[in-house]
Amino acid sequence: MKRAAVLPSVLFVCLGNICRSPLAEAAFRVEAERRGLEVEIDSAGTGGWHVGDPPDRRAQAVARRQGVDISGYRGRQVKPEDFHRFTHVVALDRDNLADLRRIQPSDGTAALLLLLDVVEGRRGKSVADPYYGDDADFEVTWADAVVGAAGLADLIAGDMRG
Ligand code: 4NP
């Protein structure tokens, strides 16, 4: 049986790293744990406004309603080295993807994709930015994070099976 040489590692990236990517990180942690998938998981923002900040309180609240505590997460900005450190860099929306393509080093080893690329019928679609929305918008974000996490776990488990 062929085996992947490196442990999979996933970095979720949105704009601020306080709403969507922390929720994607949380949903994927839950999914990986459920499946017994050994994977390193982190999140970051393309922007630097929220470096060191905890997730938006509405993101914390939607995660808490699902039994997940993300209050200890802290914002950080994505950097070119992340394309060497992670096997997968996952953009939450198409703007994030375009920004990531700009900072991706030419010798970067990470696969770069959109979260919803791995969801049947939603390839190429963005996870909507809930920052100027309300709790209902954050529920939509969580639902997108959950379906994306399942698709990503399928992808990574398939890669590991070779
Ligand atoms: P996120 O949401 O990219 O999902 O974390 C946003 C957070 C902050 C801002 C925009 C979007 N902002 O303009 O500060």
Side-chain angles (χ1 to χ4, degrees), residues 16-51:
N17 193 210
I18 56 167
C19 298
R20 291 166 293 175
S21 61
L23 290 176
E25 175 182 346
F28 192 56
R29 285 188 186 283
V30 170
E31 185 65 12
E33 171 88 6
R34 192 178 72 75
R35 296 191 189 205
L37 201 60
E38 204 184 339
V39 53
E40 188 196 335
I41 308 166
D42 197 5
S43 62
T46 55
W49 311 284
H50 296 288
V51 171

Short mmCIF file of all heavy atoms in Angstrom, two decimals, residues 16-51:
data_model
loop_
_atom_site.label_atom_id
_atom_site.label_comp_id
_atom_site.label_asym_id
_atom_site.label_seq_id
_atom_site.Cartn_x
_atom_site.Cartn_y
_atom_site.Cartn_z
N GLY A 16 -10.38 38.19 7.51
CA GLY A 16 -10.01 38.72 8.83
C GLY A 16 -9.52 37.69 9.83
O GLY A 16 -8.95 38.04 10.86
N ASN A 17 -9.79 36.40 9.57
CA ASN A 17 -9.47 35.30 10.51
C ASN A 17 -10.20 35.45 11.85
O ASN A 17 -9.70 35.03 12.90
CB ASN A 17 -7.95 35.17 10.74
CG ASN A 17 -7.52 33.88 11.44
OD1 ASN A 17 -6.53 33.85 12.14
ND2 ASN A 17 -8.26 32.81 11.27
N ILE A 18 -11.40 36.06 11.79
CA ILE A 18 -12.21 36.12 13.02
C ILE A 18 -13.62 35.56 12.82
O ILE A 18 -14.33 35.38 13.81
CB ILE A 18 -12.30 37.56 13.59
CG1 ILE A 18 -12.84 38.53 12.56
CG2 ILE A 18 -10.96 38.00 14.16
CD1 ILE A 18 -13.23 39.89 13.16
N CYS A 19 -14.03 35.31 11.57
CA CYS A 19 -15.39 34.79 11.35
C CYS A 19 -15.35 33.44 10.63
O CYS A 19 -15.57 32.39 11.25
CB CYS A 19 -16.22 35.78 10.52
SG CYS A 19 -16.46 37.39 11.32
N ARG A 20 -15.07 33.44 9.34
CA ARG A 20 -15.23 32.21 8.55
C ARG A 20 -14.13 31.18 8.77
O ARG A 20 -14.43 29.99 8.98
CB ARG A 20 -15.32 32.55 7.06
CG ARG A 20 -16.60 33.27 6.70
CD ARG A 20 -16.52 33.89 5.32
NE ARG A 20 -15.55 34.97 5.30
CZ ARG A 20 -15.18 35.63 4.22
NH1 ARG A 20 -15.70 35.30 3.04
NH2 ARG A 20 -14.30 36.62 4.29
N SER A 21 -12.86 31.60 8.70
CA SER A 21 -11.80 30.57 8.81
C SER A 21 -11.72 29.94 10.20
O SER A 21 -11.44 28.74 10.28
CB SER A 21 -10.45 31.10 8.33
OG SER A 21 -9.99 32.19 9.07
N PRO A 22 -11.99 30.68 11.29
CA PRO A 22 -12.02 29.98 12.59
C PRO A 22 -13.15 28.95 12.65
O PRO A 22 -12.99 27.89 13.25
CB PRO A 22 -12.25 31.10 13.61
CG PRO A 22 -11.83 32.34 12.92
CD PRO A 22 -12.12 32.14 11.47
N LEU A 23 -14.30 29.26 12.01
CA LEU A 23 -15.41 28.29 12.01
C LEU A 23 -15.06 27.08 11.14
O LEU A 23 -15.40 25.94 11.49
CB LEU A 23 -16.71 28.96 11.54
CG LEU A 23 -17.28 29.96 12.55
CD1 LEU A 23 -18.52 30.66 11.98
CD2 LEU A 23 -17.63 29.28 13.87
N ALA A 24 -14.37 27.31 10.01
CA ALA A 24 -13.93 26.18 9.18
C ALA A 24 -12.92 25.34 9.95
O ALA A 24 -12.97 24.10 9.92
CB ALA A 24 -13.31 26.71 7.88
N GLU A 25 -12.00 26.02 10.67
CA GLU A 25 -11.03 25.29 11.49
C GLU A 25 -11.76 24.43 12.53
O GLU A 25 -11.45 23.24 12.69
CB GLU A 25 -10.09 26.29 12.20
CG GLU A 25 -9.13 25.61 13.15
CD GLU A 25 -8.20 26.56 13.92
OE1 GLU A 25 -8.09 27.74 13.53
OE2 GLU A 25 -7.57 26.10 14.88
N ALA A 26 -12.74 25.02 13.20
CA ALA A 26 -13.46 24.30 14.25
C ALA A 26 -14.23 23.10 13.68
O ALA A 26 -14.18 22.00 14.22
CB ALA A 26 -14.42 25.25 14.96
N ALA A 27 -14.94 23.33 12.57
CA ALA A 27 -15.74 22.25 11.98
C ALA A 27 -14.83 21.12 11.50
O ALA A 27 -15.16 19.94 11.63
CB ALA A 27 -16.56 22.79 10.81
N PHE A 28 -13.65 21.49 10.96
CA PHE A 28 -12.74 20.46 10.48
C PHE A 28 -12.09 19.71 11.64
O PHE A 28 -11.83 18.51 11.54
CB PHE A 28 -11.70 21.07 9.54
CG PHE A 28 -10.92 20.03 8.77
CD1 PHE A 28 -11.56 19.08 7.98
CD2 PHE A 28 -9.54 20.00 8.86
CE1 PHE A 28 -10.84 18.11 7.29
CE2 PHE A 28 -8.81 19.04 8.16
CZ PHE A 28 -9.46 18.10 7.37
N ARG A 29 -11.82 20.40 12.74
CA ARG A 29 -11.30 19.70 13.93
C ARG A 29 -12.31 18.65 14.40
O ARG A 29 -11.93 17.52 14.74
CB ARG A 29 -11.01 20.69 15.07
CG ARG A 29 -9.76 21.52 14.87
CD ARG A 29 -9.41 22.35 16.11
NE ARG A 29 -8.29 23.22 15.83
CZ ARG A 29 -7.02 22.82 15.76
NH1 ARG A 29 -6.71 21.55 16.01
NH2 ARG A 29 -6.06 23.67 15.47
N VAL A 30 -13.58 19.03 14.43
CA VAL A 30 -14.63 18.10 14.86
C VAL A 30 -14.69 16.90 13.90
O VAL A 30 -14.74 15.74 14.32
CB VAL A 30 -16.01 18.81 14.89
CG1 VAL A 30 -17.14 17.82 15.09
CG2 VAL A 30 -16.02 19.87 16.00
N GLU A 31 -14.66 17.17 12.59
CA GLU A 31 -14.78 16.11 11.58
C GLU A 31 -13.55 15.18 11.61
O GLU A 31 -13.69 13.95 11.52
CB GLU A 31 -14.93 16.74 10.20
CG GLU A 31 -15.20 15.77 9.07
CD GLU A 31 -16.53 15.04 9.19
OE1 GLU A 31 -17.37 15.45 10.01
OE2 GLU A 31 -16.71 14.07 8.44
N ALA A 32 -12.36 15.76 11.73
CA ALA A 32 -11.14 14.95 11.77
C ALA A 32 -11.13 14.05 13.01
O ALA A 32 -10.79 12.86 12.93
CB ALA A 32 -9.91 15.86 11.76
N GLU A 33 -11.55 14.62 14.13
CA GLU A 33 -11.62 13.84 15.38
C GLU A 33 -12.61 12.70 15.23
O GLU A 33 -12.34 11.56 15.58
CB GLU A 33 -12.03 14.81 16.51
CG GLU A 33 -12.36 14.16 17.83
CD GLU A 33 -11.13 13.98 18.71
OE1 GLU A 33 -10.03 14.47 18.34
OE2 GLU A 33 -11.27 13.34 19.76
N ARG A 34 -13.77 13.00 14.66
CA ARG A 34 -14.82 11.99 14.48
C ARG A 34 -14.32 10.83 13.62
O ARG A 34 -14.65 9.67 13.88
CB ARG A 34 -16.03 12.66 13.82
CG ARG A 34 -17.31 11.85 13.82
CD ARG A 34 -18.45 12.62 13.18
NE ARG A 34 -18.34 12.76 11.75
CZ ARG A 34 -18.57 11.80 10.86
NH1 ARG A 34 -18.93 10.61 11.27
NH2 ARG A 34 -18.44 12.03 9.57
N ARG A 35 -13.51 11.14 12.62
CA ARG A 35 -13.02 10.11 11.69
C ARG A 35 -11.70 9.49 12.12
O ARG A 35 -11.21 8.60 11.44
CB ARG A 35 -12.82 10.70 10.31
CG ARG A 35 -14.08 11.20 9.67
CD ARG A 35 -13.79 11.50 8.24
NE ARG A 35 -14.89 12.18 7.59
CZ ARG A 35 -15.10 12.13 6.28
NH1 ARG A 35 -14.29 11.44 5.51
NH2 ARG A 35 -16.11 12.79 5.75
N GLY A 36 -11.10 10.03 13.20
CA GLY A 36 -9.79 9.54 13.61
C GLY A 36 -8.70 9.88 12.61
O GLY A 36 -7.73 9.15 12.44
N LEU A 37 -8.87 11.02 11.95
CA LEU A 37 -7.92 11.47 10.93
C LEU A 37 -6.83 12.30 11.61
O LEU A 37 -7.14 13.28 12.29
CB LEU A 37 -8.69 12.34 9.93
CG LEU A 37 -8.15 12.57 8.54
CD1 LEU A 37 -8.00 11.25 7.78
CD2 LEU A 37 -9.12 13.50 7.78
N GLU A 38 -5.57 11.89 11.44
CA GLU A 38 -4.47 12.63 12.05
C GLU A 38 -4.07 13.76 11.11
O GLU A 38 -3.56 13.52 10.00
CB GLU A 38 -3.28 11.70 12.30
CG GLU A 38 -2.38 12.20 13.41
CD GLU A 38 -1.15 11.32 13.59
OE1 GLU A 38 -1.18 10.15 13.17
OE2 GLU A 38 -0.16 11.82 14.13
N VAL A 39 -4.31 14.98 11.51
CA VAL A 39 -4.08 16.12 10.64
C VAL A 39 -3.82 17.37 11.48
O VAL A 39 -4.44 17.55 12.54
CB VAL A 39 -5.28 16.32 9.67
CG1 VAL A 39 -6.59 16.39 10.41
CG2 VAL A 39 -5.12 17.51 8.76
N GLU A 40 -2.88 18.20 11.04
CA GLU A 40 -2.64 19.47 11.72
C GLU A 40 -3.58 20.51 11.11
O GLU A 40 -3.78 20.54 9.89
CB GLU A 40 -1.17 19.89 11.51
CG GLU A 40 -0.78 21.08 12.35
CD GLU A 40 0.53 21.74 11.88
OE1 GLU A 40 1.34 21.04 11.25
OE2 GLU A 40 0.68 22.94 12.12
N ILE A 41 -4.15 21.37 11.94
CA ILE A 41 -5.18 22.30 11.47
C ILE A 41 -4.93 23.69 12.05
O ILE A 41 -4.64 23.83 13.25
CB ILE A 41 -6.60 21.82 11.90
CG1 ILE A 41 -6.83 20.36 11.48
CG2 ILE A 41 -7.68 22.73 11.30
CD1 ILE A 41 -8.05 19.72 12.14
N ASP A 42 -5.04 24.72 11.19
CA ASP A 42 -4.86 26.10 11.66
C ASP A 42 -5.71 27.00 10.75
O ASP A 42 -6.28 26.55 9.74
CB ASP A 42 -3.38 26.48 11.59
CG ASP A 42 -3.03 27.72 12.42
OD1 ASP A 42 -3.91 28.24 13.13
OD2 ASP A 42 -1.87 28.18 12.32
N SER A 43 -5.77 28.28 11.09
CA SER A 43 -6.46 29.24 10.22
C SER A 43 -5.72 30.57 10.26
O SER A 43 -4.93 30.83 11.19
CB SER A 43 -7.93 29.42 10.62
OG SER A 43 -8.04 29.94 11.92
N ALA A 44 -5.96 31.39 9.25
CA ALA A 44 -5.26 32.68 9.12
C ALA A 44 -6.12 33.61 8.27
O ALA A 44 -7.09 33.19 7.64
CB ALA A 44 -3.89 32.48 8.47
N GLY A 45 -5.74 34.89 8.27
CA GLY A 45 -6.41 35.88 7.43
C GLY A 45 -5.46 36.43 6.39
O GLY A 45 -4.25 36.48 6.62
N THR A 46 -6.01 36.88 5.26
CA THR A 46 -5.16 37.56 4.28
C THR A 46 -4.82 38.97 4.80
O THR A 46 -3.76 39.51 4.49
CB THR A 46 -5.84 37.66 2.90
OG1 THR A 46 -7.11 38.30 3.07
CG2 THR A 46 -6.02 36.29 2.28
N GLY A 47 -5.73 39.55 5.58
CA GLY A 47 -5.51 40.87 6.17
C GLY A 47 -4.90 40.76 7.57
O GLY A 47 -4.96 39.70 8.20
N GLY A 48 -4.35 41.86 8.04
CA GLY A 48 -3.68 41.84 9.33
C GLY A 48 -4.40 42.59 10.44
O GLY A 48 -3.85 42.74 11.53
N TRP A 49 -5.65 43.01 10.20
CA TRP A 49 -6.34 43.88 11.17
C TRP A 49 -6.63 43.17 12.49
O TRP A 49 -6.78 43.80 13.51
CB TRP A 49 -7.67 44.38 10.61
CG TRP A 49 -7.59 44.94 9.25
CD1 TRP A 49 -7.09 46.17 8.90
CD2 TRP A 49 -7.97 44.29 8.03
NE1 TRP A 49 -7.15 46.32 7.55
CE2 TRP A 49 -7.69 45.19 6.99
CE3 TRP A 49 -8.54 43.05 7.74
CZ2 TRP A 49 -7.94 44.89 5.66
CZ3 TRP A 49 -8.79 42.74 6.41
CH2 TRP A 49 -8.50 43.64 5.40
N HIS A 50 -6.77 41.84 12.45
CA HIS A 50 -7.24 41.13 13.66
C HIS A 50 -6.20 40.17 14.21
O HIS A 50 -6.54 39.22 14.90
CB HIS A 50 -8.55 40.40 13.35
CG HIS A 50 -9.66 41.34 13.02
ND1 HIS A 50 -10.27 42.13 13.97
CD2 HIS A 50 -10.22 41.67 11.84
CE1 HIS A 50 -11.18 42.89 13.39
NE2 HIS A 50 -11.17 42.64 12.09
N VAL A 51 -4.92 40.47 13.91
CA VAL A 51 -3.84 39.63 14.46
C VAL A 51 -3.90 39.68 15.99
O VAL A 51 -3.99 40.76 16.58
CB VAL A 51 -2.47 40.12 13.94
CG1 VAL A 51 -1.32 39.40 14.67
CG2 VAL A 51 -2.36 39.88 12.43
#
